[in-house]
């Protein structure tokens, strides 16, 4: 109905332009909003006040002229002027009842639209370095990214979900070297493990697999491995120089073939683990894009040449720099180090250029909030390449902080002291995890309350919403047990019996679902859908507690069954977009 009213207002404005009441070049956005107070109608529009300055007329005068010019439309009882110039629309009850039949007719398609008109959108999310299992911090980005993608799909965008695998670069070399050093431990070599190596139990597991399959084939004496290697920070040295020297020694002693085998063993094991975790979390991708394809195809080098040709690079200290300050970045950035190796940033520039070359009309990156400073430099590089940086939207997600028994859990991939996403799912279940992760704005800090997530009470929002769905299913089972048939046609002809305030509140809330879906999708805010579903569940539970559905009056009984079945369907539809199940029994 909101879109219909917007169209009516635009037609009224066109009529005012045609009769010269408004200047012909007048252009103002038309916004229709639901009223908070039913005394002011069902919808309100402030366009008359927006037009006042351009039209040089009083807002109330414009409002009256616009009302007089509105085309006739079924379902509108009256239109009134309120306050300084609001236009309030009052709908008749029949329009509200139509929501019930629309829901029952369209079932799982209700609320979906073609607003996106098939525009192609790539959503890249999670993309955690494959250096360890996903932890609970990654889980929020996973749940948020999946919800954003599904919401965009629901309103008509063609969505491509992608995970960017950082399978090249220094962090992966640290992982591979960490695996090899643990392998040497298992071979019986006595060594001091670097303080900034990866230390989790999963490193031991990967090393043990290599040792079982290859025995001592990659063994080298610890004295040779550490010969002339600068001390670690614990011995007064520089830990970064220490680990880099160990990486170089690993390559030297193992040779590229054996080093590559150990490197790939670590990468593939962890990546398979990440895939399985995300799949079990209900998240799938159309593509797992590997960073190495950019380097092996020459894409990174070609992108660097494009940057050079743009005139926004220079050499300093043996390194190649991108002059990102030309585009508002706080400082210039290195794209090729003094040792000739390209930086992660260079790969990222090439990756974003590749996204646009693949034809995506819009690109959405979902990053941790700690990467906020990275946004301007990526957009700067896109501009320098001549690409349209406005096609890129970066959505930031604060990591969730997990509390167990009132204590904050530590999360560090390097140290191995972290709570994995798998552990969280096993403890609270997929449904609670998926819902809790997205029920607040993504930019807001989040304390994940395990006790609340596991509770079966009205304080637990996901339980409260699912219970509403299960209650409707229970009512319908009771109907069958009483050998009563739900007659939807009879119910539809008796909606006028739904006169209770609880029923009117529920009907009105159901009608808001398509608007909530569009707003949540276009603003990338799944938390709006969460709040709506809790509001809908609250209206249902209040209705359930106040009235009997299985009454002797068949006409009223069937009308109420139509209403609660529509409620069940909308809850099901909304939860599915959030990756949450809608159980029939609880």
């Amino acid at each position: 109905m909101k879109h219909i009213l917007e169209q009516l207002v635009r037609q009224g404005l066109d009529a005012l332009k045609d009769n010269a009441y408004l200047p012909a070049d007048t252009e103002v956005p038309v916004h229709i909003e639901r009223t908070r107070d039913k005394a002011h109608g069902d919808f309100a529009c402030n366009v008359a006040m927006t037009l006042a300055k351009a039209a040089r007329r009083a807002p109330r005068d414009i409002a009256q002229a616009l009302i007089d010019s509105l085309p006739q439309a079924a379902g509108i009882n009256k239109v009134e002027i309120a306050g300084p110039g609001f236009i309030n629309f009052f709908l008749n009850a029949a329009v509200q009842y139509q929501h019930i039949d629309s829901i029952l007719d369209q079932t799982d398609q209700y609320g979906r639209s073609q607003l996106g008109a098939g525009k192609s959108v790539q959503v890249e999310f999670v993309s955690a370095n494959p250096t360890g299992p996903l932890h609970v911090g990654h889980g929020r980005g996973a749940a948020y990214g999946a919800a954003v993608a599904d919401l965009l799909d629901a309103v008509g965008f063609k969505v491509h979900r992608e995970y960017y695998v950082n399978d090249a670069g220094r962090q992966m070399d640290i992982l591979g070297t960490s695996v090899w050093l643990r392998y040497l431990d298992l071979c019986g070599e006595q060594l001091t493990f670097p303080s900034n190596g990866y230390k989790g139990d999963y490193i031991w597991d990967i090393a043990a697999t290599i040792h079982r399959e290859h025995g001592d084939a990659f063994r080298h004496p610890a004295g040779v491995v550490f010969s002339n290697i600068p001390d670690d920070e614990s011995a007064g040295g520089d830990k970064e120089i220490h680990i880099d020297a160990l990486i170089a020694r690993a390559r030297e002693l193992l040779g590229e073939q054996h080093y590559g085998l150990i490197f790939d063993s670590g990468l593939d094991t962890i990546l398979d683990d990440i895939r399985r975790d995300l799949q079990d979390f209900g998240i799938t991708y159309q593509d797992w894009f590997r960073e190495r394809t950019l380097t092996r195809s020459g894409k990174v080098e070609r992108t660097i040449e494009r940057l050079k040709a743009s005139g926004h690079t220079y050499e300093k200290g043996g390194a190649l720099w991108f002059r990102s300050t030309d585009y508002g970045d706080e400082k210039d950035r290195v794209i090729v180090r003094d040792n000739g190796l390209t930086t992660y940033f260079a790969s990222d520039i090439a990756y974003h250029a590749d996204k646009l070359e693949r034809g995506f009309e819009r690109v959405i990156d979902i990053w941790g909030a700690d990467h906020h400073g990275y946004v301007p430099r990526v957009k700067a590089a896109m501009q320098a390449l001549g690409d349209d940086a406005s096609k890129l939207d970066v959505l930031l997600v604060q990591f969730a902080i997990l509390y167990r028994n009132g204590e904050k859990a530590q999360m560090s991939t390097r140290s191995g002291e972290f709570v994995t996403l798998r552990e969280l799912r096993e403890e609270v279940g997929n449904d609670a995890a998926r819902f809790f992760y997205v029920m607040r704005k993504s930019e807001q800090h989040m304390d994940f309350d395990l006790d609340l997530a596991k509770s079966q009470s009205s304080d637990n929002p996901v339980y409260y919403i699912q219970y509403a769905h299960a209650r409707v299913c229970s009512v319908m089972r009771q109907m069958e047990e009483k050998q009563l048939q739900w007659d939807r046609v009879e119910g539809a002809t008796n909606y006028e019996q739904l006169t209770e305030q609880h029923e009117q509140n529920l009907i009105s809330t159901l009608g808001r679902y398509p608007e909530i879906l569009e707003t949540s999708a276009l603003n990338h805010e799944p938390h709006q859908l969460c709040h709506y579903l809790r509001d809908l569940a609250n209206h249902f539970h209040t209705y359930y507690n106040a009235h009997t559905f299985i009454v002797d009056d068949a006409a009223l009984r069937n009308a109420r069954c139509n209403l609660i079945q529509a409620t069940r369907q909308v809850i099901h539809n909304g939860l599915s977009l959030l990756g949450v199940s809608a159980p029939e029994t609880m």
Side-chain angles (χ1 to χ4, degrees), residues 62-133:
I62 298 173
Q64 186 60 60
L66 181 54
I67 290 173
D68 293 340
S69 300
L70 290 176
Q72 293 295 316
I76 299 177
N77 269 356
K78 63 179 179 178
V79 185
E80 291 183 347
I81 303 172
F86 286 102
I87 300 174
N88 292 340
F89 296 88
F90 295 76
L91 306 183
N92 60 42
V95 172
Q96 304 282 25
Y97 297 146
Q98 288 173 7
H99 297 313
I100 302 174
D101 288 331
S102 294
I103 296 166
L104 297 178
D105 286 340
Q106 298 172 32
T107 59
D108 60 352
Q109 295 301 303
Y110 179 72
R112 291 177 173 265
S113 70
Q114 291 303 313
L115 185 68
K119 184 177 181 180
S120 62
V121 179
Q122 186 220 44
V123 183
E124 182 223 325
F125 59 107
V126 184
S127 298
N129 287 344
T131 53

Side-chain angles (χ1 to χ4, degrees), residues 271-510:
L271 191 57
D272 286 345
D273 191 65
I274 290 173
R275 287 179 193 267
R276 185 168 60 254
D277 263 356
L278 290 172
Q279 186 173 359
D280 291 345
F281 201 34
I283 295 170
T284 58
Y285 294 89
Q286 278 74 52
D287 194 12
W288 292 70
F289 189 100
R290 289 180 176 255
E291 180 184 354
R292 272 193 270 185
T293 64
L294 295 171
T295 54
R296 290 174 177 175
S297 67
K299 180 74 177 180
V300 175
E301 288 76 9
R302 289 194 298 273
T303 302
I304 290 172
E305 290 304 315
R306 287 176 62 191
L307 284 176
K308 287 181 179 178
S310 75
H312 295 283
T313 62
Y314 62 93
E315 293 187 10
K316 177 183 174 183
L320 182 66
W321 295 70
F322 167 53
R323 194 178 283 107
S324 55
T325 51
D326 288 351
Y327 297 93
D329 195 8
E330 60 183 359
K331 63 180 181 180
D332 296 338
R333 310 291 173 175
V334 176
I335 53 176
V336 181
R337 298 187 182 93
D338 55 6
N339 59 7
L341 297 177
T342 57
T343 62
Y344 173 82
F345 180 44
S347 296
D348 221 20
I349 298 171
Y351 178 46
H352 283 84
D354 181 84
K355 291 183 181 192
L356 297 184
E357 288 176 7
R358 280 186 274 160
F360 295 118
E361 298 170 78
R362 189 165 161 234
V363 170
I364 296 175
D365 290 354
I366 295 174
W367 296 345
D370 55 332
H371 287 76
H372 67 92
Y374 203 70
V375 178
R377 73 191 73 162
V378 172
K379 284 184 172 283
M382 293 176 72
Q383 288 178 270
L385 290 172
D387 292 329
D388 185 355
S390 68
K391 290 185 176 181
L392 170 65
D393 289 317
V394 179
L395 309 179
L396 299 176
V397 180
Q398 291 284 354
F399 277 178
I401 301 173
L402 179 66
Y403 283 85
R404 177 183 287 112
N405 299 324
E407 296 183 0
K408 180 179 175 181
Q410 297 298 315
M411 295 177 290
S412 169
T413 310
R414 287 277 190 97
S415 69
E417 297 174 358
F418 55 84
V419 177
T420 66
L421 175 60
R422 187 175 303 171
E423 289 171 328
L424 176 68
R425 292 190 297 101
E426 290 173 351
E427 185 162 350
V428 305
N430 268 10
D431 288 342
R434 288 288 298 263
F435 192 93
F436 271 57
Y437 272 135
V438 299
M439 69 181 182
R440 292 186 178 85
K441 278 191 173 185
S442 64
E443 317 91 89
Q444 292 180 342
H445 286 279
M446 178 186 181
D447 294 339
F448 197 113
D449 187 339
L450 280 170
D451 294 330
L452 179 61
K454 292 186 290 185
S455 70
Q456 296 185 359
S457 70
S458 59
D459 292 330
N460 180 349
V462 68
Y463 177 85
Y464 189 63
I465 296 165
Q466 289 178 318
Y467 188 40
H469 184 275
R471 268 184 155 177
V472 176
C473 295
S474 175
V475 170
M476 302 313 292
R477 286 194 298 272
Q478 292 174 44
M479 287 271 289
E480 292 181 8
E481 291 168 3
K482 295 177 182 293
Q483 296 185 335
L484 295 172
Q485 296 295 319
W486 167 38
D487 189 333
R488 180 188 157 185
V489 175
E490 182 179 41
T493 58
N494 287 280
Y495 287 144
E496 71 277 359
Q497 294 199 40
L498 301 177
T499 58
E500 299 290 346
Q501 188 59 52
H502 294 122
E503 293 166 336
Q504 294 299 308
N505 291 342
L506 192 55
I507 292 168
S508 178
T509 304
L510 288 172

Side-chain angles (χ1 to χ4, degrees), residues 143-161:
Y144 176 69
V148 166
D150 289 349
L151 284 166
L152 289 170
D153 180 80
V155 298
F157 290 91
K158 183 180 179 181
V159 181
H160 180 91
R161 300 158 181 84

Side-chain angles (χ1 to χ4, degrees), residues 26-232:
T26 301
E27 293 293 338
V28 292
V30 175
H31 296 297
I32 302 290
E33 302 293 340
R34 285 188 177 270
T35 59
R36 295 183 179 181
D37 186 347
K38 286 295 182 182
H40 297 150
D42 297 285
F43 291 92
C45 181
N46 69 345
V47 70
M49 291 178 286
T50 306
L51 279 169
K53 184 176 180 180
R56 297 182 180 179
R57 297 176 186 271
R60 288 184 65 92
D61 292 342
I62 298 173
Q64 186 60 60
L66 181 54
I67 290 173
D68 293 340
S69 300
L70 290 176
Q72 293 295 316
I76 299 177
N77 269 356
K78 63 179 179 178
V79 185
E80 291 183 347
I81 303 172
F86 286 102
I87 300 174
N88 292 340
F89 296 88
F90 295 76
L91 306 183
N92 60 42
V95 172
Q96 304 282 25
Y97 297 146
Q98 288 173 7
H99 297 313
I100 302 174
D101 288 331
S102 294
I103 296 166
L104 297 178
D105 286 340
Q106 298 172 32
T107 59
D108 60 352
Q109 295 301 303
Y110 179 72
R112 291 177 173 265
S113 70
Q114 291 303 313
L115 185 68
K119 184 177 181 180
S120 62
V121 179
Q122 186 220 44
V123 183
E124 182 223 325
F125 59 107
V126 184
S127 298
N129 287 344
T131 53
L134 297 178
H135 57 59
V136 295
H138 297 129
R140 191 178 187 192
Y144 176 69
V148 166
D150 289 349
L151 284 166
L152 289 170
D153 180 80
V155 298
F157 290 91
K158 183 180 179 181
V159 181
H160 180 91
R161 300 158 181 84
E162 188 158 299
Y163 189 115
Y164 180 51
V165 182
N166 301 118
D167 58 355
R170 184 170 178 271
Q171 291 305 314
M172 293 307 302
D173 282 323
I174 294 175
L175 173 74
T177 301
S178 298
V179 170
W180 183 53
L181 293 175
R182 288 307 190 199
Y183 163 86
L184 293 178
D185 271 327
L186 293 172
C187 290
E189 295 295 329
Q190 301 296 313
L191 53 85
T192 301
F193 197 82
S195 63
N196 57 342
Y198 288 99
K199 301 173 183 168
D201 289 342
Y202 63 96
I203 300 295
W204 284 106
D205 294 339
I206 298 168
T209 299
I210 295 173
H211 190 257
R212 281 196 304 272
E213 295 177 355
H214 299 278
D216 287 358
F218 312 128
R219 182 176 183 174
H220 290 271
V224 174
V225 173
F226 286 86
S227 175
N228 298 320
I229 297 290
D231 288 341
D232 194 358

